Amino acid sequence: MRITAVTCVKNEGPFLLEWIAFNRLIGVTDHLFYSNDCTDGTDRLLDALQARGMVQHLPNPAEGRNYQMEALKDAKKREIVTEAEWLWVADVDEFLNIHVGDHTIPALIDACGDPQAISLTFQFFANCDTEGFEDRPVIEQFTRSHNPDLWGGETAIEVKTLVRHDFPVQYYGAHRPFFRDKLPKKKRPTWTDGSGREVSHRFLVAANPRRIRRFPAKGARAFATLNHYALRSLDSYLVKNDRGDVNRENRAFDDTYWRERNDDAFSDLSIHRYLPALRDALAEMKSDPEIAALHDECVARHIAKRDELLAREEYRAMRAQLRSASKLPPEEEAMLIDLGLAS
């Protein structure tokens, strides 16, 4: 089965090899990367991997600011996508944790009854009080998350979607594909959640703007969960913030994103089933001296960027704020205060 993963990256160099190796373990056969404005060696590592036939690497075609959607528009016409049986659009901090069969995407597809799309629910993994960056698997380091059935003040959680080649796609979104508004009912795709249940009608037809890429998580992940390591270490989170375009000077830092994803009430080690094979795969990739050297350079630049940021007052303040921030999501904390259960 040919399965293509498509992703956009900027300064993700230290995490590339793990993500590629993991995806290959679960059945991804091809990777299409779009990169833009990399300063940590991400692009050069991808070029080296492309030279070895392991990935395809293209510059992001976006001329404005909509990097991901422009890349997905371009990907739709690429042979690596058009010739694939399944498409997996995901980010480098997202790992598809499959609970059935041999823990691969083909096993998941079979468990779900071979629909035309499968939407997998996020599980947000917390920082786990990890301050310093370590060059070892992310899936090993971060083991705690929110209650997977709930997130913040909502019972609906975002998803990412596996898409079969015959899905009647109008365009690919970052979280789900879309089909034409007036597609006849009998031609609408078969579409399940991560438990093989049909998704709701309103999600299917994107009828509710607040649920266009999410649905209730409870009961939706019997066959697979999408582990999302959006925070990683505190060091890496600072670098991630710098990667964006927000000017931190002269304004308060909003820690909402961090707090919403740093609830560590739930322990989940299930993805560790992949660790032995992942370590072997990483060792094999790094046995190539050039790949190992380029990876090490990305790591060194990641750490150097951390040091550069911490020389600035606004990033020292950000680091202190995140270290002391409540682990309760803002909406949950506000509710507890209103109920007199917290102060």
Side-chain angles (χ1 to χ4, degrees):
M1 184 181 293
R2 187 172 182 185
I3 303 169
T4 294
V6 178
T7 193
C8 298
V9 291
K10 178 179 179 182
N11 291 347
E12 292 279 9
F15 310 105
L16 292 178
L17 296 187
E18 179 187 2
W19 195 70
I20 293 167
F22 181 90
N23 282 345
R24 292 169 73 177
L25 290 177
I26 64 173
V28 173
T29 56
D30 299 88
H31 287 84
L32 174 57
F33 283 87
Y34 290 91
S35 71
N36 63 281
D37 306 319
C38 295
T39 58
D40 74 340
T42 289
D43 47 358
R44 291 190 296 114
L45 176 54
L46 287 172
D47 285 342
L49 292 168
Q50 178 171 250
R52 289 155 175 78
M54 299 179 70
V55 306
Q56 187 174 130
H57 174 217
L58 296 169
N60 196 302
E63 295 180 357
R65 302 184 54 78
N66 203 350
Y67 289 104
Q68 194 166 39
M69 292 309 297
E70 289 298 315
L72 291 176
K73 183 179 178 180
D74 182 83
K76 186 180 175 183
K77 64 188 181 187
R78 299 286 174 178
E79 184 176 314
I80 194 173
V81 170
T82 61
E83 296 298 316
E85 295 171 71
W86 285 82
L87 182 67
W88 174 231
V89 178
D91 297 330
V92 174
D93 57 5
E94 297 165 0
F95 292 76
L96 183 49
N97 183 13
I98 300 166
H99 310 310
V100 292
D102 63 357
H103 309 295
T104 64
I105 291 174
L108 170 62
I109 292 167
D110 184 62
C112 290
D114 195 21
Q116 289 169 279
I118 306 171
S119 287
L120 293 315
T121 301
F122 276 128
Q123 185 169 336
F124 298 103
F125 278 75
N127 162 261
C128 299
D129 297 319
T130 304
E131 295 198 8
F133 165 82
E134 293 185 45
D135 183 20
R136 62 188 180 95
V138 167
I139 67 167
E140 177 183 20
Q141 295 182 63
F142 306 100
T143 60
R144 302 191 68 86
S145 75
H146 61 103
N147 179 332
D149 287 338
L150 302 170
W151 183 48
E154 307 251 1
T155 57
I157 298 183
E158 292 182 342
V159 299
K160 288 290 179 79
T161 305
L162 276 163
V163 186
R164 205 170 74 185
H165 68 93
D166 59 350
F167 186 98
V169 66
Q170 181 179 22
Y171 66 93
Y172 293 110
H175 292 254
R176 53 165 294 164
F178 293 84
F179 53 84
R180 299 190 312 276
D181 291 340
K182 296 183 179 180
L183 188 71
K185 288 185 179 180
K186 63 182 179 180
K187 293 187 177 181
R188 287 176 181 168
T190 53
W191 196 331
T192 75
D193 66 11
S195 292
R197 309 176 306 182
E198 290 185 6
V199 297
S200 71
H201 172 74
R202 293 184 67 79
F203 177 85
L204 177 73
V205 300
N208 187 341
R210 296 188 67 248
R211 293 286 186 270
I212 201 167
R213 62 187 195 185
R214 62 178 76 174
F215 50 68
K218 189 173 179 60
R221 58 182 194 282
F223 302 151
T225 306
L226 184 56
N227 288 22
H228 190 191
Y229 302 90
L231 306 184
R232 302 181 183 130
S233 68
L234 185 51
D235 283 353
S236 292
Y237 191 73
L238 296 179
V239 175
K240 176 179 179 175
N241 271 266
D242 176 72
R243 185 182 67 191
D245 62 352
V246 178
N247 179 2
R248 300 296 180 195
E249 294 185 78
N250 303 317
R251 76 174 185 86
F253 168 65
D254 185 354
D255 63 8
T256 299
Y257 184 93
W258 172 274
R259 289 180 59 192
E260 285 181 336
R261 290 157 179 80
N262 200 33
D263 181 348
D264 62 1
F266 189 85
S267 176
D268 186 349
L269 302 177
S270 60
I271 201 169
H272 285 190
R273 65 171 70 95
Y274 297 102
L275 271 175
L278 178 63
R279 292 192 185 102
D280 290 345
L282 285 170
E284 182 179 353
M285 294 174 82
K286 292 179 182 179
S287 68
D288 182 316
E290 183 183 5
I291 297 300
L294 288 168
H295 169 80
D296 290 345
E297 181 182 347
C298 290
V299 167
R301 291 192 178 202
H302 188 77
I303 294 170
K305 173 57 71 173
R306 181 274 318 269
D307 293 341
E308 174 191 326
L309 295 175
L310 289 178
R312 296 159 53 181
E313 176 59 33
E314 64 268 27
Y315 274 89
R316 291 196 297 273
M318 182 193 302
R319 193 173 197 270
Q321 182 175 340
L322 293 174
R323 288 178 69 185
S324 62
S326 169
K327 291 184 179 180
L328 288 174
E331 290 184 1
E332 183 177 340
E333 187 169 64
M335 178 187 69
L336 292 174
I337 291 173
D338 287 344
L339 293 173
L341 300 175
S343 59

